[in-house]
Amino acid sequence: MSHTAELIAVGTELLLGDIANTNAQMLSQGLSQLGINVFYHTVVGDNPERLRQAVAIAKTRADIILTTGGLGPTCDDLTKVALAESFGKKLVRHAPSEQRIRDRFAAMGHEMTENNLQQAMLPEGCTVLDNDWGTAPGAAFTAEGVRVILLPGPPWECENMFRYRAVPFLQDLVEGVIVSRTVKTFGIGESAAEAVLRPLMTRLQNPTLAPYAKPTGTELRITARAQTQAQALALIAPVEEEVKALLGEHVIGVDVRSVPEVVLSLLRERGLTLGTAESCTGGFMAKLMTDLPGSSAVFRGGVVSYTNEVKANVLGVPWAMLEEHGAVSPQVAQAMAQGARHSLGCDLAVSATGVAGPGPDERGNPVGLVYLGLAWEGGCYVKEFRAGNVARERVRRQSAQQGLDLVRRKLTGLL
Amino acid sequence: MSHTAELIAVGTELLLGDIANTNAQMLSQGLSQLGINVFYHTVVGDNPERLRQAVAIAKTRADIILTTGGLGPTCDDLTKVALAESFGKKLVRHAPSEQRIRDRFAAMGHEMTENNLQQAMLPEGCTVLDNDWGTAPGAAFTAEGVRVILLPGPPWECENMFRYRAVPFLQDLVEGVIVSRTVKTFGIGESAAEAVLRPLMTRLQNPTLAPYAKPTGTELRITARAQTQAQALALIAPVEEEVKALLGEHVIGVDVRSVPEVVLSLLRERGLTLGTAESCTGGFMAKLMTDLPGSSAVFRGGVVSYTNEVKANVLGVPWAMLEEHGAVSPQVAQAMAQGARHSLGCDLAVSATGVAGPGPDERGNPVGLVYLGLAWEGGCYVKEFRAGNVARERVRRQSAQQGLDLVRRKLTGLL
């Protein structure tokens, strides 16, 4: 039997646009993974009457209601009061929750005001959802054929309370288990990947295969439903192999996040070091690498050469080359990578020089034209990349990722 | 008379959690600025029947309905069909829109398939909202006492269509004008700013004053309502001065976005150039500067010195200093800035060396301890900054911004 959930977010800050309803996104993903349909999201302010109306509507069209927000003392526990009332339940004092709240304040050395104890008033007969990530406990109960789950609003609390408290409360609605594995690609768009995979996607029923466009590259999610985890994984395995074979060198790994992460682990495995020489990407490649904990073991450093003087004086690019070919040229990309390898003392160095925009450069090179270079002991490779006439941020992000992807390709024998 | 809007977002991708409903946030902010109340957001999938039900409910509780999404050919123009039906209107062919679509395809040199012409079918008697940011036109009409506005889903299109097409259609509902100015700060938290401004906030009625925490620094928004723009600005001016006086050197500007933006315009005004020398921030400062169009006029380049070898060989930090004080020290911060100024040939150079985490460094320096250096002709300044034991990403972002803030302080005479 299939189940339908409605999400009700409570908070005037959402209606004023101070924050986006990211909890709804997280919960929708989680419920989809459980095989539970979500047909509506509703957002309502800190207003008891309008909240009661939203609940009355949700009852008619969903058999699971998840609320977020409106649980703490600053909003008078609005959500708890309204939901208990909507389902004809009284609020009763929950002694263990009261003790938890007293203990929490004592541990922090803060004085507890009486309004905090209101948080220990919970719908009678409910399952109390202990909050290990904040103060206000959540609650879950079943009434009038509807499962009701009340979660706190702060995203960190909401996500953990959903995963560790709400999911167990919903587990009996889920038949078997649902398991996903994600094949991560780089350098192929969502629609191009879909074109290649369309026959496979059409043929499949369990597992299913779905593409997702992310800023870090297209993802192919394979999702299987089975009685056990092992059975689900066994269903996924042959499809995973087929997807990898169809997408070939674009595949950077399974259940990995991004090209820089893959580059970091390849470098660690092989005991090699990396450096960067960046013009148009202006430090973006270095930032992507050093965003990762553990990068200091393999990343030696970089040079951002935003002027010809820095290209010549720090990276040793010959002035004659800069004058003859211009800074945006394959020759200069190669010389930058070789110069960086030398001055930074690293095994591999990657370079980028191009036109980030918003306008063409003084030689008339168009926005989005980028030359990427890779230098190693005894060799060099240069690639022309055209990001197209897109926003500056996008040219830079794509070029930085393309540059680091050259390192991945070299280390996996594709170059 | 006060007006009430309901936002209806159409898209199964929202219910699957593939994206967050950021359009609702943007529209809520925009409507609040117009003095229009938003009482509910609703999200519904690509399902005509459920969309019609959502519209039927919205009609009973709002006199303005704004929909987003479901306009293009891939979703069969779901929203237009359902909304026209809900308000008893026929769809009729709009010749100028048809011509626009044909012209657009011709200009791109693409062949146009017939389903694209469906986008030129619009509710009879509606105001057509020309889409200069995408293909599908929007529409607006008034029926049964409700203003209905249909906007496209992609955020970039939605935002521009709201600002330049929907707002004029709503202007007659707004009494007078609402004008905001935002005092941007850096280096003071939201609660600290609020503590200083509390008496002023309590006293004010028109204009109002509200703090907002942003990753780029706390913002203080002053909003006035008046008959004319000039009257509103006259109400804002004395409050703006008072806020500036109370927050002093934390104020980086009014209606500006971030420290790097302010640094760029200060450097341009004074005809000075900047370079960076980065250890723990790993290229983040260079990236923040080169994110900005026009930065090549003042930003010369940077060195990411993630190892002592690069600090010594490229930046000229003495080995003896690195051994005696360690890389994370005020001495090395100063030497890095001075070395970068020399090797990059810039007027000012800013440096950062510290512990980004996740663990302390090999000398036991704690996560979040960062030394920032600034070197100029004939002088140098070093600042110790403690980001605290927070996530690596946060240490790096805060340190990069703190480093660039030294440049702002120097150029505005605060150092």
Side-chain angles (χ1 to χ4, degrees), chain A residues 273-300:
Chain A
T273 59
L274 179 68
T276 51
E278 309 187 59
S279 184
C280 61
T281 51
F284 211 142
M285 290 197 288
K287 177 183 177 293
L288 285 175
M289 287 309 301
T290 59
D291 277 341
L292 305 169
S295 51
S296 60
V298 301
F299 186 73
R300 293 186 65 83

PDB file of all heavy atoms in Angstrom, chain A residues 273-300:
ATOM      1  N   THR A 273      52.621  14.711  -5.541  1.00  0.00           N
ATOM      2  CA  THR A 273      52.212  16.047  -5.099  1.00  0.00           C
ATOM      3  C   THR A 273      51.740  16.873  -6.286  1.00  0.00           C
ATOM      4  O   THR A 273      52.099  16.621  -7.425  1.00  0.00           O
ATOM      5  CB  THR A 273      53.369  16.787  -4.408  1.00  0.00           C
ATOM      6  OG1 THR A 273      54.460  16.889  -5.324  1.00  0.00           O
ATOM      7  CG2 THR A 273      53.806  16.067  -3.141  1.00  0.00           C
ATOM      8  N   LEU A 274      50.919  17.890  -5.960  1.00  0.00           N
ATOM      9  CA  LEU A 274      50.281  18.723  -6.990  1.00  0.00           C
ATOM     10  C   LEU A 274      50.487  20.201  -6.697  1.00  0.00           C
ATOM     11  O   LEU A 274      50.559  20.619  -5.535  1.00  0.00           O
ATOM     12  CB  LEU A 274      48.765  18.418  -7.011  1.00  0.00           C
ATOM     13  CG  LEU A 274      47.896  19.205  -7.995  1.00  0.00           C
ATOM     14  CD1 LEU A 274      48.213  18.825  -9.435  1.00  0.00           C
ATOM     15  CD2 LEU A 274      46.414  18.982  -7.707  1.00  0.00           C
ATOM     16  N   GLY A 275      50.562  21.004  -7.763  1.00  0.00           N
ATOM     17  CA  GLY A 275      50.580  22.460  -7.653  1.00  0.00           C
ATOM     18  C   GLY A 275      49.729  23.062  -8.753  1.00  0.00           C
ATOM     19  O   GLY A 275      49.343  22.368  -9.703  1.00  0.00           O
ATOM     20  N   THR A 276      49.394  24.357  -8.630  1.00  0.00           N
ATOM     21  CA  THR A 276      48.515  25.014  -9.597  1.00  0.00           C
ATOM     22  C   THR A 276      49.124  26.328 -10.080  1.00  0.00           C
ATOM     23  O   THR A 276      49.874  26.974  -9.350  1.00  0.00           O
ATOM     24  CB  THR A 276      47.141  25.331  -8.968  1.00  0.00           C
ATOM     25  OG1 THR A 276      47.359  26.023  -7.735  1.00  0.00           O
ATOM     26  CG2 THR A 276      46.344  24.082  -8.692  1.00  0.00           C
ATOM     27  N   ALA A 277      48.771  26.697 -11.301  1.00  0.00           N
ATOM     28  CA  ALA A 277      49.144  28.001 -11.863  1.00  0.00           C
ATOM     29  C   ALA A 277      47.892  28.548 -12.522  1.00  0.00           C
ATOM     30  O   ALA A 277      47.420  27.984 -13.506  1.00  0.00           O
ATOM     31  CB  ALA A 277      50.261  27.833 -12.885  1.00  0.00           C
ATOM     32  N   GLU A 278      47.338  29.611 -11.955  1.00  0.00           N
ATOM     33  CA  GLU A 278      46.009  30.025 -12.388  1.00  0.00           C
ATOM     34  C   GLU A 278      45.971  31.469 -12.842  1.00  0.00           C
ATOM     35  O   GLU A 278      46.402  32.365 -12.123  1.00  0.00           O
ATOM     36  CB  GLU A 278      45.010  29.859 -11.239  1.00  0.00           C
ATOM     37  CG  GLU A 278      45.061  28.482 -10.605  1.00  0.00           C
ATOM     38  CD  GLU A 278      43.954  28.286  -9.585  1.00  0.00           C
ATOM     39  OE1 GLU A 278      42.782  28.401  -9.952  1.00  0.00           O
ATOM     40  OE2 GLU A 278      44.278  28.018  -8.413  1.00  0.00           O
ATOM     41  N   SER A 279      45.384  31.648 -14.023  1.00  0.00           N
ATOM     42  CA  SER A 279      45.099  33.010 -14.440  1.00  0.00           C
ATOM     43  C   SER A 279      43.592  33.238 -14.296  1.00  0.00           C
ATOM     44  O   SER A 279      43.133  33.652 -13.236  1.00  0.00           O
ATOM     45  CB  SER A 279      45.597  33.229 -15.866  1.00  0.00           C
ATOM     46  OG  SER A 279      45.404  34.565 -16.214  1.00  0.00           O
ATOM     47  N   CYS A 280      42.782  32.862 -15.278  1.00  0.00           N
ATOM     48  CA  CYS A 280      41.347  33.190 -15.232  1.00  0.00           C
ATOM     49  C   CYS A 280      40.623  32.573 -14.040  1.00  0.00           C
ATOM     50  O   CYS A 280      39.629  33.117 -13.567  1.00  0.00           O
ATOM     51  CB  CYS A 280      40.669  32.765 -16.524  1.00  0.00           C
ATOM     52  SG  CYS A 280      40.772  31.000 -16.838  1.00  0.00           S
ATOM     53  N   THR A 281      41.088  31.433 -13.550  1.00  0.00           N
ATOM     54  CA  THR A 281      40.391  30.802 -12.424  1.00  0.00           C
ATOM     55  C   THR A 281      40.780  31.447 -11.095  1.00  0.00           C
ATOM     56  O   THR A 281      40.116  31.210 -10.079  1.00  0.00           O
ATOM     57  CB  THR A 281      40.667  29.286 -12.381  1.00  0.00           C
ATOM     58  OG1 THR A 281      42.083  29.086 -12.454  1.00  0.00           O
ATOM     59  CG2 THR A 281      40.002  28.571 -13.538  1.00  0.00           C
ATOM     60  N   GLY A 282      41.827  32.239 -11.071  1.00  0.00           N
ATOM     61  CA  GLY A 282      42.151  33.137  -9.958  1.00  0.00           C
ATOM     62  C   GLY A 282      42.199  32.505  -8.580  1.00  0.00           C
ATOM     63  O   GLY A 282      41.769  33.135  -7.601  1.00  0.00           O
ATOM     64  N   GLY A 283      42.674  31.280  -8.449  1.00  0.00           N
ATOM     65  CA  GLY A 283      42.769  30.652  -7.138  1.00  0.00           C
ATOM     66  C   GLY A 283      41.689  29.618  -6.879  1.00  0.00           C
ATOM     67  O   GLY A 283      41.671  28.951  -5.838  1.00  0.00           O
ATOM     68  N   PHE A 284      40.773  29.459  -7.842  1.00  0.00           N
ATOM     69  CA  PHE A 284      39.634  28.550  -7.652  1.00  0.00           C
ATOM     70  C   PHE A 284      40.111  27.096  -7.554  1.00  0.00           C
ATOM     71  O   PHE A 284      39.641  26.323  -6.704  1.00  0.00           O
ATOM     72  CB  PHE A 284      38.665  28.713  -8.821  1.00  0.00           C
ATOM     73  CG  PHE A 284      37.218  28.473  -8.490  1.00  0.00           C
ATOM     74  CD1 PHE A 284      36.221  29.252  -9.071  1.00  0.00           C
ATOM     75  CD2 PHE A 284      36.819  27.475  -7.608  1.00  0.00           C
ATOM     76  CE1 PHE A 284      34.878  29.049  -8.786  1.00  0.00           C
ATOM     77  CE2 PHE A 284      35.478  27.264  -7.316  1.00  0.00           C
ATOM     78  CZ  PHE A 284      34.518  28.060  -7.920  1.00  0.00           C
ATOM     79  N   MET A 285      41.086  26.710  -8.402  1.00  0.00           N
ATOM     80  CA  MET A 285      41.575  25.324  -8.340  1.00  0.00           C
ATOM     81  C   MET A 285      42.249  25.063  -6.992  1.00  0.00           C
ATOM     82  O   MET A 285      42.033  24.021  -6.364  1.00  0.00           O
ATOM     83  CB  MET A 285      42.544  25.036  -9.495  1.00  0.00           C
ATOM     84  CG  MET A 285      41.857  24.988 -10.849  1.00  0.00           C
ATOM     85  SD  MET A 285      42.849  24.173 -12.147  1.00  0.00           S
ATOM     86  CE  MET A 285      44.117  25.384 -12.455  1.00  0.00           C
ATOM     87  N   ALA A 286      43.078  26.012  -6.547  1.00  0.00           N
ATOM     88  CA  ALA A 286      43.744  25.847  -5.253  1.00  0.00           C
ATOM     89  C   ALA A 286      42.708  25.765  -4.136  1.00  0.00           C
ATOM     90  O   ALA A 286      42.816  24.944  -3.226  1.00  0.00           O
ATOM     91  CB  ALA A 286      44.707  27.016  -5.010  1.00  0.00           C
ATOM     92  N   LYS A 287      41.697  26.615  -4.208  1.00  0.00           N
ATOM     93  CA  LYS A 287      40.648  26.583  -3.187  1.00  0.00           C
ATOM     94  C   LYS A 287      39.920  25.242  -3.188  1.00  0.00           C
ATOM     95  O   LYS A 287      39.680  24.657  -2.130  1.00  0.00           O
ATOM     96  CB  LYS A 287      39.653  27.718  -3.409  1.00  0.00           C
ATOM     97  CG  LYS A 287      38.512  27.669  -2.408  1.00  0.00           C
ATOM     98  CD  LYS A 287      37.458  28.711  -2.617  1.00  0.00           C
ATOM     99  CE  LYS A 287      36.337  28.528  -1.602  1.00  0.00           C
ATOM    100  NZ  LYS A 287      35.551  27.296  -1.787  1.00  0.00           N
ATOM    101  N   LEU A 288      39.565  24.733  -4.369  1.00  0.00           N
ATOM    102  CA  LEU A 288      38.847  23.449  -4.426  1.00  0.00           C
ATOM    103  C   LEU A 288      39.677  22.337  -3.785  1.00  0.00           C
ATOM    104  O   LEU A 288      39.137  21.495  -3.064  1.00  0.00           O
ATOM    105  CB  LEU A 288      38.526  23.081  -5.883  1.00  0.00           C
ATOM    106  CG  LEU A 288      37.387  23.856  -6.545  1.00  0.00           C
ATOM    107  CD1 LEU A 288      37.280  23.468  -8.020  1.00  0.00           C
ATOM    108  CD2 LEU A 288      36.054  23.592  -5.848  1.00  0.00           C
ATOM    109  N   MET A 289      40.988  22.340  -4.042  1.00  0.00           N
ATOM    110  CA  MET A 289      41.830  21.300  -3.440  1.00  0.00           C
ATOM    111  C   MET A 289      41.936  21.498  -1.926  1.00  0.00           C
ATOM    112  O   MET A 289      41.801  20.549  -1.152  1.00  0.00           O
ATOM    113  CB  MET A 289      43.229  21.303  -4.062  1.00  0.00           C
ATOM    114  CG  MET A 289      43.292  20.747  -5.487  1.00  0.00           C
ATOM    115  SD  MET A 289      42.514  19.119  -5.738  1.00  0.00           S
ATOM    116  CE  MET A 289      43.430  18.092  -4.595  1.00  0.00           C
ATOM    117  N   THR A 290      42.187  22.739  -1.488  1.00  0.00           N
ATOM    118  CA  THR A 290      42.421  22.961  -0.059  1.00  0.00           C
ATOM    119  C   THR A 290      41.115  23.026   0.745  1.00  0.00           C
ATOM    120  O   THR A 290      41.158  23.046   1.971  1.00  0.00           O
ATOM    121  CB  THR A 290      43.270  24.237   0.181  1.00  0.00           C
ATOM    122  OG1 THR A 290      42.582  25.376  -0.366  1.00  0.00           O
ATOM    123  CG2 THR A 290      44.630  24.111  -0.475  1.00  0.00           C
ATOM    124  N   ASP A 291      39.970  23.027   0.072  1.00  0.00           N
ATOM    125  CA  ASP A 291      38.695  22.848   0.780  1.00  0.00           C
ATOM    126  C   ASP A 291      38.677  21.496   1.495  1.00  0.00           C
ATOM    127  O   ASP A 291      37.959  21.321   2.484  1.00  0.00           O
ATOM    128  CB  ASP A 291      37.523  22.845  -0.220  1.00  0.00           C
ATOM    129  CG  ASP A 291      37.046  24.243  -0.598  1.00  0.00           C
ATOM    130  OD1 ASP A 291      37.351  25.187   0.144  1.00  0.00           O
ATOM    131  OD2 ASP A 291      36.375  24.381  -1.636  1.00  0.00           O
ATOM    132  N   LEU A 292      39.446  20.540   0.973  1.00  0.00           N
ATOM    133  CA  LEU A 292      39.361  19.163   1.464  1.00  0.00           C
ATOM    134  C   LEU A 292      40.326  18.922   2.623  1.00  0.00           C
ATOM    135  O   LEU A 292      41.529  19.193   2.492  1.00  0.00           O
ATOM    136  CB  LEU A 292      39.698  18.193   0.328  1.00  0.00           C
ATOM    137  CG  LEU A 292      38.856  18.339  -0.944  1.00  0.00           C
ATOM    138  CD1 LEU A 292      39.453  17.517  -2.075  1.00  0.00           C
ATOM    139  CD2 LEU A 292      37.424  17.913  -0.678  1.00  0.00           C
ATOM    140  N   PRO A 293      39.826  18.416   3.740  1.00  0.00           N
ATOM    141  CA  PRO A 293      40.734  18.042   4.830  1.00  0.00           C
ATOM    142  C   PRO A 293      41.722  16.991   4.326  1.00  0.00           C
ATOM    143  O   PRO A 293      41.345  16.123   3.527  1.00  0.00           O
ATOM    144  CB  PRO A 293      39.814  17.436   5.896  1.00  0.00           C
ATOM    145  CG  PRO A 293      38.425  17.561   5.413  1.00  0.00           C
ATOM    146  CD  PRO A 293      38.424  18.070   4.010  1.00  0.00           C
ATOM    147  N   GLY A 294      42.970  17.093   4.732  1.00  0.00           N
ATOM    148  CA  GLY A 294      43.967  16.121   4.292  1.00  0.00           C
ATOM    149  C   GLY A 294      44.699  16.552   3.034  1.00  0.00           C
ATOM    150  O   GLY A 294      45.659  15.892   2.609  1.00  0.00           O
ATOM    151  N   SER A 295      44.291  17.678   2.427  1.00  0.00           N
ATOM    152  CA  SER A 295      44.921  18.099   1.178  1.00  0.00           C
ATOM    153  C   SER A 295      46.380  18.501   1.382  1.00  0.00           C
ATOM    154  O   SER A 295      47.184  18.429   0.447  1.00  0.00           O
ATOM    155  CB  SER A 295      44.142  19.256   0.552  1.00  0.00           C
ATOM    156  OG  SER A 295      43.930  20.284   1.492  1.00  0.00           O
ATOM    157  N   SER A 296      46.736  18.901   2.621  1.00  0.00           N
ATOM    158  CA  SER A 296      48.116  19.363   2.832  1.00  0.00           C
ATOM    159  C   SER A 296      49.129  18.242   2.606  1.00  0.00           C
ATOM    160  O   SER A 296      50.301  18.507   2.374  1.00  0.00           O
ATOM    161  CB  SER A 296      48.284  19.966   4.234  1.00  0.00           C
ATOM    162  OG  SER A 296      47.980  19.016   5.210  1.00  0.00           O
ATOM    163  N   ALA A 297      48.695  16.975   2.628  1.00  0.00           N
ATOM    164  CA  ALA A 297      49.616  15.866   2.380  1.00  0.00           C
ATOM    165  C   ALA A 297      50.075  15.809   0.928  1.00  0.00           C
ATOM    166  O   ALA A 297      51.141  15.267   0.635  1.00  0.00           O
ATOM    167  CB  ALA A 297      48.943  14.538   2.749  1.00  0.00           C
ATOM    168  N   VAL A 298      49.283  16.364  -0.003  1.00  0.00           N
ATOM    169  CA  VAL A 298      49.623  16.231  -1.422  1.00  0.00           C
ATOM    170  C   VAL A 298      49.665  17.565  -2.171  1.00  0.00           C
ATOM    171  O   VAL A 298      50.282  17.660  -3.224  1.00  0.00           O
ATOM    172  CB  VAL A 298      48.633  15.300  -2.167  1.00  0.00           C
ATOM    173  CG1 VAL A 298      48.626  13.913  -1.557  1.00  0.00           C
ATOM    174  CG2 VAL A 298      47.229  15.881  -2.176  1.00  0.00           C
ATOM    175  N   PHE A 299      49.000  18.584  -1.630  1.00  0.00           N
ATOM    176  CA  PHE A 299      48.941  19.857  -2.342  1.00  0.00           C
ATOM    177  C   PHE A 299      50.042  20.780  -1.833  1.00  0.00           C
ATOM    178  O   PHE A 299      50.084  21.121  -0.662  1.00  0.00           O
ATOM    179  CB  PHE A 299      47.568  20.518  -2.162  1.00  0.00           C
ATOM    180  CG  PHE A 299      47.403  21.755  -3.002  1.00  0.00           C
ATOM    181  CD1 PHE A 299      47.239  21.651  -4.372  1.00  0.00           C
ATOM    182  CD2 PHE A 299      47.430  23.012  -2.432  1.00  0.00           C
ATOM    183  CE1 PHE A 299      47.104  22.788  -5.160  1.00  0.00           C
ATOM    184  CE2 PHE A 299      47.303  24.152  -3.208  1.00  0.00           C
ATOM    185  CZ  PHE A 299      47.138  24.037  -4.581  1.00  0.00           C
ATOM    186  N   ARG A 300      50.949  21.182  -2.737  1.00  0.00           N
ATOM    187  CA  ARG A 300      52.087  21.982  -2.282  1.00  0.00           C
ATOM    188  C   ARG A 300      51.804  23.470  -2.339  1.00  0.00           C
ATOM    189  O   ARG A 300      52.310  24.232  -1.516  1.00  0.00           O
ATOM    190  CB  ARG A 300      53.325  21.652  -3.114  1.00  0.00           C
ATOM    191  CG  ARG A 300      53.811  20.224  -2.852  1.00  0.00           C
ATOM    192  CD  ARG A 300      55.106  19.932  -3.539  1.00  0.00           C
ATOM    193  NE  ARG A 300      56.195  20.734  -3.030  1.00  0.00           N
ATOM    194  CZ  ARG A 300      56.916  20.457  -1.941  1.00  0.00           C
ATOM    195  NH1 ARG A 300      56.652  19.372  -1.238  1.00  0.00           N
ATOM    196  NH2 ARG A 300      57.875  21.243  -1.555  1.00  0.00           N
TER     197      ARG A 300
END
